[in-house]
Coordinates of all heavy atoms in Angstrom, one line a residue:
G1482 N 3.0 -11.7 4.6 CA 4.0 -12.7 4.2 C 4.3 -13.8 5.1 O 5.2 -14.6 4.9
S1483 N 3.4 -13.9 6.1 CA 3.7 -15.0 7.1 C 3.4 -16.3 6.4 O 2.7 -16.4 5.4 CB 2.8 -14.8 8.3 OG 1.4 -14.8 7.9
T1484 N 4.0 -17.3 7.0 CA 3.9 -18.7 6.4 C 3.5 -19.7 7.5 O 3.7 -19.4 8.7 CB 5.2 -19.2 5.8 OG1 6.2 -19.1 6.8 CG2 5.6 -18.3 4.6
Y1485 N 2.9 -20.8 7.1 CA 2.5 -21.8 8.0 C 2.8 -23.2 7.4 O 2.7 -23.3 6.1 CB 0.9 -21.7 8.2 CG 0.4 -22.8 9.1 CD1 0.4 -22.7 10.5 CD2 -0.1 -24.0 8.6 CE1 0.0 -23.7 11.3 CE2 -0.5 -25.0 9.4 CZ -0.5 -24.9 10.8 OH -0.9 -25.9 11.6
Y1486 N 3.3 -24.1 8.2 CA 3.6 -25.4 7.7 C 3.0 -26.5 8.6 O 2.9 -26.3 9.8 CB 5.1 -25.6 7.8 CG 5.9 -24.6 6.9 CD1 6.4 -23.4 7.4 CD2 6.1 -24.9 5.5 CE1 7.1 -22.6 6.6 CE2 6.8 -24.1 4.7 CZ 7.3 -22.9 5.3 OH 7.9 -22.0 4.4
S1487 N 2.6 -27.6 8.0 CA 2.1 -28.7 8.8 C 3.3 -29.3 9.5 O 4.4 -29.2 9.1 CB 1.4 -29.7 7.9 OG 2.4 -30.3 7.0
D1488 N 3.0 -30.0 10.6 CA 4.1 -30.6 11.3 C 4.9 -31.6 10.5 O 6.1 -31.8 10.7 CB 3.5 -31.3 12.6 CG 3.0 -30.3 13.6 OD1 3.4 -29.1 13.6 OD2 2.2 -30.7 14.5
S1489 N 4.2 -32.2 9.6 CA 4.9 -33.3 8.8 C 5.9 -32.8 7.8 O 6.8 -33.5 7.4 CB 3.8 -34.1 8.0 OG 3.1 -33.2 7.1
V1490 N 5.9 -31.5 7.5 CA 6.9 -30.9 6.6 C 7.7 -29.8 7.2 O 8.6 -29.3 6.5 CB 6.2 -30.4 5.3 CG1 5.3 -31.5 4.7 CG2 5.4 -29.1 5.5
K1491 N 7.4 -29.4 8.4 CA 8.1 -28.3 9.0 C 9.6 -28.5 9.1 O 10.0 -29.6 9.5 CB 7.5 -28.0 10.4 CG 7.8 -26.7 11.0 CD 7.1 -26.5 12.3 CE 5.6 -26.4 12.2 NZ 4.9 -26.2 13.4
G1492 N 10.4 -27.6 8.7 CA 11.8 -27.7 8.7 C 12.4 -28.3 7.5 O 13.6 -28.3 7.3
R1493 N 11.5 -28.9 6.6 CA 12.0 -29.5 5.3 C 11.5 -28.7 4.1 O 12.1 -28.7 3.1 CB 11.5 -30.9 5.3 CG 12.0 -31.8 6.4 CD 11.7 -33.3 6.1 NE 10.3 -33.5 6.1 CZ 9.6 -34.1 5.1 NH1 10.3 -34.4 4.0 NH2 8.3 -34.3 5.1
F1494 N 10.3 -28.2 4.2 CA 9.7 -27.5 3.0 C 9.7 -26.0 3.3 O 9.6 -25.5 4.4 CB 8.2 -27.9 2.8 CG 8.0 -29.3 2.3 CD1 9.1 -30.2 2.3 CD2 6.8 -29.7 1.9 CE1 8.9 -31.5 1.9 CE2 6.6 -31.0 1.5 CZ 7.6 -31.9 1.4
I1495 N 9.8 -25.2 2.2 CA 9.8 -23.7 2.3 C 8.8 -23.2 1.2 O 9.0 -23.5 0.0 CB 11.2 -23.2 2.1 CG1 12.2 -23.7 3.1 CG2 11.1 -21.6 2.1 CD1 13.6 -23.3 2.9
I1496 N 7.9 -22.4 1.6 CA 7.0 -21.8 0.7 C 7.4 -20.3 0.5 O 7.9 -19.7 1.4 CB 5.5 -21.8 1.2 CG1 4.5 -21.4 0.1 CG2 5.3 -21.0 2.5 CD1 3.1 -21.7 0.5
S1497 N 7.3 -19.9 -0.8 CA 7.7 -18.5 -1.1 C 6.9 -18.1 -2.3 O 6.2 -18.9 -3.0 CB 9.2 -18.5 -1.5 OG 9.5 -19.2 -2.6
R1498 N 6.9 -16.7 -2.5 CA 6.1 -16.2 -3.6 C 6.9 -15.2 -4.4 O 7.7 -14.5 -3.8 CB 4.8 -15.6 -3.2 CG 4.8 -14.5 -2.3 CD 3.4 -13.8 -2.2 NE 2.5 -14.6 -1.4 CZ 1.2 -14.6 -1.6 NH1 0.7 -14.0 -2.6 NH2 0.4 -15.3 -0.8
D1499 N 6.8 -15.1 -5.7 CA 7.4 -14.1 -6.5 C 6.3 -13.4 -7.2 O 5.7 -13.9 -8.2 CB 8.3 -14.8 -7.5 CG 9.1 -13.8 -8.4 OD1 8.6 -12.6 -8.5 OD2 10.2 -14.2 -8.9
N1500 N 5.9 -12.3 -6.6 CA 4.7 -11.5 -7.2 C 5.0 -11.0 -8.6 O 4.0 -10.9 -9.4 CB 4.4 -10.4 -6.2 CG 3.8 -10.9 -4.9 OD1 3.2 -12.0 -4.9 ND2 3.9 -10.1 -3.9
A1501 N 6.2 -10.7 -8.9 CA 6.5 -10.3 -10.3 C 6.2 -11.4 -11.3 O 5.8 -11.1 -12.4 CB 8.0 -9.8 -10.3
K1502 N 6.4 -12.6 -10.9 CA 6.1 -13.7 -11.8 C 4.8 -14.3 -11.6 O 4.4 -15.3 -12.2 CB 7.2 -14.8 -11.6 CG 8.6 -14.4 -12.1 CD 9.6 -15.5 -12.0 CE 11.0 -15.1 -12.5 NZ 12.0 -16.1 -12.4
N1503 N 4.0 -13.8 -10.6 CA 2.7 -14.3 -10.3 C 2.7 -15.7 -9.9 O 1.9 -16.5 -10.4 CB 1.7 -14.0 -11.4 CG 0.3 -13.6 -10.9 OD1 0.1 -13.1 -9.8 ND2 -0.7 -13.8 -11.8
T1504 N 3.7 -16.1 -9.2 CA 4.0 -17.6 -8.9 C 4.3 -17.8 -7.4 O 5.0 -16.9 -6.8 CB 5.1 -18.1 -9.8 OG1 4.8 -17.9 -11.2 CG2 5.4 -19.5 -9.5
V1505 N 3.8 -18.9 -6.9 CA 4.2 -19.3 -5.5 C 4.9 -20.6 -5.7 O 4.6 -21.5 -6.5 CB 2.9 -19.5 -4.7 CG1 3.3 -20.2 -3.4 CG2 2.2 -18.2 -4.4
Y1506 N 6.0 -20.8 -4.9 CA 6.8 -22.0 -5.0 C 6.7 -22.8 -3.7 O 6.4 -22.2 -2.6 CB 8.3 -21.6 -5.2 CG 8.5 -20.7 -6.4 CD1 8.6 -19.4 -6.4 CD2 8.6 -21.3 -7.7 CE1 8.8 -18.6 -7.5 CE2 8.8 -20.6 -8.8 CZ 8.9 -19.2 -8.7 OH 9.1 -18.5 -9.9
L1507 N 7.0 -24.1 -3.8 CA 7.2 -24.9 -2.6 C 8.5 -25.7 -2.8 O 8.6 -26.6 -3.7 CB 6.0 -25.9 -2.5 CG 6.1 -26.7 -1.2 CD1 5.8 -25.9 0.0 CD2 5.0 -27.9 -1.3
Q1508 N 9.5 -25.3 -2.1 CA 10.8 -25.9 -2.1 C 10.7 -27.1 -1.1 O 10.5 -26.9 0.1 CB 11.9 -25.0 -1.7 CG 13.3 -25.6 -1.6 CD 13.8 -26.1 -3.0 OE1 13.7 -25.4 -4.0 NE2 14.4 -27.3 -3.0
M1509 N 10.9 -28.3 -1.6 CA 10.8 -29.5 -0.8 C 12.2 -30.2 -0.7 O 12.8 -30.6 -1.7 CB 9.8 -30.5 -1.4 CG 8.4 -29.8 -1.7 SD 7.2 -31.0 -2.2 CE 7.9 -31.6 -3.7
N1510 N 12.7 -30.2 0.5 CA 14.0 -30.8 0.8 C 13.9 -32.0 1.7 O 12.8 -32.2 2.4 CB 14.9 -29.8 1.5 CG 15.1 -28.5 0.7 OD1 15.3 -28.6 -0.5 ND2 15.0 -27.4 1.3
S1511 N 14.9 -32.8 1.7 CA 14.9 -34.0 2.6 C 13.7 -34.9 2.4 O 13.0 -35.3 3.4 CB 15.1 -33.6 4.1 OG 16.3 -32.9 4.3
L1512 N 13.3 -35.1 1.2 CA 12.1 -35.8 0.9 C 12.1 -37.2 1.4 O 13.1 -37.9 1.4 CB 11.8 -35.7 -0.6 CG 11.3 -34.4 -1.1 CD1 11.5 -34.2 -2.6 CD2 9.9 -34.2 -0.8
K1513 N 10.9 -37.6 1.8 CA 10.7 -39.0 2.3 C 9.7 -39.7 1.5 O 8.9 -39.1 0.8 CB 10.2 -38.9 3.8 CG 11.1 -38.1 4.7 CD 10.4 -37.9 6.0 CE 11.2 -37.1 7.0 NZ 10.6 -36.9 8.3
P1514 N 9.7 -41.0 1.5 CA 8.7 -41.8 0.7 C 7.3 -41.4 1.1 O 6.4 -41.4 0.2 CB 9.0 -43.2 1.1 CG 10.5 -43.3 1.4 CD 10.7 -41.9 2.0
E1515 N 7.0 -41.0 2.4 CA 5.7 -40.6 2.8 C 5.3 -39.3 2.2 O 4.1 -38.8 2.4 CB 5.6 -40.6 4.3 CG 6.7 -39.9 5.0 CD 7.8 -40.8 5.5 OE1 8.2 -41.7 4.7 OE2 8.2 -40.6 6.7
D1516 N 6.2 -38.5 1.6 CA 5.8 -37.3 0.9 C 5.2 -37.6 -0.5 O 4.7 -36.6 -1.1 CB 7.0 -36.4 0.7 CG 7.6 -35.9 2.0 OD1 6.8 -35.5 2.9 OD2 8.8 -35.9 2.2
T1517 N 5.2 -38.8 -0.9 CA 4.6 -39.2 -2.2 C 3.2 -38.8 -2.3 O 2.4 -39.3 -1.4 CB 4.9 -40.7 -2.5 OG1 6.3 -40.9 -2.6 CG2 4.2 -41.1 -3.8
A1518 N 2.7 -38.1 -3.2 CA 1.4 -37.6 -3.3 C 1.2 -36.7 -4.6 O 2.2 -36.4 -5.2 CB 0.9 -36.8 -2.1
V1519 N 0.0 -36.4 -4.9 CA -0.3 -35.4 -5.9 C -0.4 -34.1 -5.1 O -1.1 -34.0 -4.1 CB -1.6 -35.6 -6.6 CG1 -1.9 -34.5 -7.6 CG2 -1.5 -37.0 -7.4
Y1520 N 0.3 -33.1 -5.5 CA 0.4 -31.8 -4.8 C -0.4 -30.8 -5.6 O -0.3 -30.7 -6.8 CB 1.8 -31.3 -4.7 CG 2.6 -32.0 -3.6 CD1 3.0 -33.4 -3.8 CD2 2.9 -31.4 -2.4 CE1 3.6 -34.1 -2.8 CE2 3.6 -32.1 -1.4 CZ 4.0 -33.4 -1.6 OH 4.6 -34.1 -0.6
Y1521 N -1.2 -30.0 -4.8 CA -2.1 -29.0 -5.4 C -1.9 -27.7 -4.8 O -1.6 -27.6 -3.6 CB -3.6 -29.4 -5.1 CG -4.1 -30.7 -5.7 CD1 -3.9 -31.9 -4.9 CD2 -4.6 -30.8 -6.9 CE1 -4.4 -33.1 -5.4 CE2 -5.1 -32.0 -7.4 CZ -4.9 -33.2 -6.6 OH -5.4 -34.4 -7.1

Side-chain angles (χ1 to χ4, degrees):
S1483 60
T1484 57
Y1485 177 86
Y1486 299 93
S1487 67
D1488 288 343
S1489 60
V1490 307
K1491 196 175 297 181
R1493 300 187 298 122
F1494 290 12
I1495 301 171
I1496 191 170
S1497 63
R1498 62 169 75 212
D1499 185 336
N1500 290 336
K1502 294 184 178 180
N1503 218 23
T1504 300
V1505 171
Y1506 302 99
L1507 185 68
Q1508 177 67 42
M1509 306 187 297
N1510 302 316
S1511 302
L1512 283 161
K1513 305 174 181 180
E1515 50 263 44
D1516 294 317
T1517 295
V1519 178
Y1520 283 70
Y1521 302 88

